[in-house]
Amino acid sequence: MSRRLISTSPTPGPQGDSERPPKRPRIDHLTPDSFRNGIFLAPMVRSGALPTRLMALKHGATLVWGPEMVDKAILHAEREVDPVTGVISYNGKTRAMFTTHPLEKPYLIYQIGSADPELAVQAAKTVMQDISGVDLNCGCPKPFSTHAGMGAALLTNPDLLCGILEALRRELPREISVSAKIRLLSTQEETKKLVERIARTGVNAITVHCRTRNMRPRERALVERLKEIVEFVQGLGLDVAIIQNGDCTGREDAKRIRDLTGADSVMIATAAESNPSCFSAIPLRDVESTLSPSYLRLCKYLDNHWASTKFCVTQFKGVRSEVSKMDAHELKSRIAKAKGYESLDDIVGSWTGEEEFKEISRIVEARQPRISAEAEQEEVSEEEDIPPPCATPPDRPNPEPPKSGAPKMGLRMPMPAILTGSNMVSPTPTPGGLR
């Protein structure tokens, strides 16, 4: 192994440590590894609002998906930044269509509903300064999505589906990840064939909702079908993460699902809609008193639209130990009837939404920065190539140099003037000296 040459001994620092070359800076964008060993917030049209995404990050979500946005809808939006809170809004004619915050950018995947490669690229470029990845919705079975050839309709049009993904990967910067979210097809062979085509478009990840297009949420997800698909993708030798979606209830359940399927990560929807703290090893109990008030304070501070806030809070539910069923029902009823934040003072107490946001910021910013596997290996190699510092300890005098028997500098004989061209006693040059 090669060694770097060091010209001088480093100077010991205050604790006897010497300066070392700075490590390679860690990356702040997504890589294929970012989609592995994680637990993600799923895209949800109404419930995936900015406050919910921030709460999910606070409680341990690795990445968060924004709600699906139809490509054309965002193209004419006006981007506006709140100078106080930093919230970024993409505003339509009457209200914000999509809101985000720089705090979530390193973890935010923007989901697009599209049936047109060119429009999908335009939509992605409109928001790419505020996101880390783009996901194509290929699984939504709702008529508002499928009637225009988007969502689950793409499952029966793989040429168009892959054409959109290829356009996104080709036209977007490499630091913007590209992924797709699909559903199971009727047979394993059909599903594997589609997954292979998607994997070869250059995507970073594929999320598989373990239900078919015609299955409803109340029907059990076919989680057991995913293992064969995961093994199939691994056999292709492609660097594509497979994410499981469907019926996961929380962090502990995600471990069970990964063990069962071999999936790289797990995505949570319904359980996160009910309790955004489900990503934590210890989810909040009595959400009516432990989650709803702080969520309302955060929403008011971020100027989240009241209709969105009301919908999200009324979906909260979970294990109760101190709040009675009657009290929980009364709270939801009051929020559902409220016309705005002002009528809920006795529920939230002080409107300290800024403090709620600062607490979330502190937790999210304390996360370890991401680093790619390649960069991490380079760091290890560089550290191995650097020899240990060779400084003399501060409490020990410099050692005497080894004696070689050579004459000391002060006793060296003067050179003859015939060679130097000068008189060694006088600096006057000797006439006829060597030219």
Side-chain angles (χ1 to χ4, degrees):
M1 186 177 292
S2 62
R3 291 278 184 179
R4 293 183 181 178
L5 296 178
I6 298 181
S7 58
T8 58
S9 294
T11 303
Q15 285 78 35
D17 296 326
S18 59
E19 288 189 17
R20 300 179 67 92
K23 289 187 176 182
R24 181 180 300 275
R26 293 177 182 261
I27 58 175
D28 61 357
H29 60 267
L30 300 179
T31 69
D33 289 339
S34 304
F35 293 90
R36 296 187 168 95
N37 304 313
I39 180 169
F40 307 147
L41 175 69
M44 295 180 285
V45 171
R46 298 184 69 184
S47 299
L50 172 60
T52 299
R53 300 197 302 269
L54 292 178
M55 281 290 184
L57 288 172
K58 174 185 178 181
H59 290 283
T62 317
L63 298 175
V64 292
W65 267 243
E68 178 194 16
M69 289 293 302
V70 175
D71 49 17
K72 293 180 181 179
I74 203 71
L75 295 182
H76 304 292
E78 181 180 350
R79 183 179 184 271
E80 181 180 341
V81 181
D82 189 305
V84 176
T85 63
V87 170
I88 301 165
S89 301
Y90 285 84
N91 299 322
K93 292 183 179 180
T94 59
R95 57 182 290 186
M97 294 183 292
F98 174 68
T99 59
T100 181
H101 192 280
L103 180 65
E104 70 167 349
K105 178 182 176 180
Y107 315 98
L108 176 62
I109 309 297
Y110 179 85
Q111 191 180 63
I112 292 177
S114 182
D116 185 297
E118 184 177 347
L119 287 177
V121 169
Q122 291 178 20
K125 288 184 174 181
T126 300
V127 299
M128 70 179 183
Q129 63 184 311
D130 300 313
I131 63 174
S132 284
V134 172
D135 185 76
L136 179 64
N137 184 335
C138 313
C140 180
K142 301 293 180 65
F144 78 85
S145 185
T146 57
H147 88 281
M150 300 182 295
L154 290 172
L155 297 175
T156 56
N157 193 347
D159 290 339
L160 176 58
L161 189 164
C162 293
I164 296 172
L165 293 173
E166 289 168 349
L168 288 169
R169 184 64 287 162
R170 181 177 62 250
E171 299 297 332
L172 295 179
R174 298 304 299 182
E175 60 266 23
I176 300 293
S177 69
V178 175
S179 57
K181 187 171 186 288
I182 68 170
R183 284 183 173 236
L184 294 171
L185 299 182
S186 56
T187 69
Q188 288 290 80
E189 290 306 312
E190 289 177 313
T191 306
K192 289 191 293 185
K193 185 176 180 180
L194 176 63
V195 167
E196 179 177 3
R197 288 198 60 179
I198 295 173
R200 295 191 184 279
T201 64
V203 295
N204 296 86
I206 303 171
T207 300
V208 181
H209 185 162
C210 295
R211 290 183 175 89
T212 63
R213 176 176 175 174
N214 295 326
M215 291 178 67
R216 301 275 68 86
R218 65 178 179 274
E219 298 179 72
R220 184 185 67 83
L222 307 175
V223 179
E224 64 279 358
R225 283 186 55 180
L226 189 61
K227 183 177 178 62
E228 182 182 348
I229 297 168
V230 171
E231 293 174 347
F232 171 74
V233 173
Q234 292 172 345
L236 296 175
L238 300 174
D239 191 14
V240 179
I242 300 298
I243 304 166
Q244 187 276 345
N245 175 223
D247 288 354
C248 181
T249 59
R251 178 171 291 274
E252 290 303 314
D253 195 38
K255 295 178 183 178
R256 177 191 65 82
I257 291 173
R258 288 186 61 196
D259 289 341
L260 176 65
T261 64
D264 293 289
S265 295
V266 176
M267 178 180 284
I268 303 179
T270 305
E273 180 181 55
S274 299
N275 185 354
S277 74
C278 69
F279 299 95
S280 170
I282 307 177
L284 294 175
R285 303 166 69 93
D286 298 309
V287 293
E288 294 80 8
S289 61
T290 59
L291 176 63
S292 295
S294 59
Y295 188 90
L296 288 166
R297 289 192 289 266
L298 178 66
C299 287
K300 187 175 188 296
Y301 173 70
L302 298 176
D303 197 25
N304 195 58
H305 195 279
W306 170 245
S308 169
T309 299
K310 178 164 65 173
F311 176 82
C312 290
V313 175
T314 53
Q315 304 306 305
F316 293 165
K317 60 184 177 181
V319 178
R320 290 191 299 269
S321 58
E322 297 182 6
V323 176
S324 68
K325 183 176 181 180
M326 182 179 297
D327 289 340
H329 177 75
E330 182 180 350
L331 174 67
K332 284 190 177 183
S333 179
R334 279 199 57 189
I335 293 174
K337 295 176 181 177
K339 303 298 182 182
Y341 296 101
E342 296 74 18
S343 59
L344 302 175
D345 290 353
D346 60 318
I347 293 177
V348 302
S350 300
W351 288 100
T352 54
E354 184 175 5
E355 296 304 315
E356 300 287 347
F357 180 75
K358 286 180 179 179
E359 174 68 6
I360 295 173
S361 299
R362 182 188 64 78
I363 294 172
V364 174
E365 290 172 352
R367 291 186 175 192
Q368 292 294 324
R370 286 189 292 263
I371 183 169
S372 65
E374 293 81 1
E376 189 171 19
Q377 183 59 43
E378 288 180 16
E379 281 190 5
V380 172
S381 299
E382 287 182 359
E383 291 183 0
E384 290 177 349
D385 286 344
I386 300 173
C390 303
T392 302
D395 58 345
R396 184 188 303 173
N398 285 325
E400 292 293 333
K403 298 182 185 292
S404 64
K408 294 182 179 180
M409 293 295 292
L411 301 178
R412 189 171 61 185
M413 298 299 291
M415 296 183 70
I418 188 66
L419 296 178
T420 63
S422 63
N423 190 319
M424 294 303 290
V425 178
S426 170
T428 304
T430 300
L434 191 65
R435 298 179 188 274

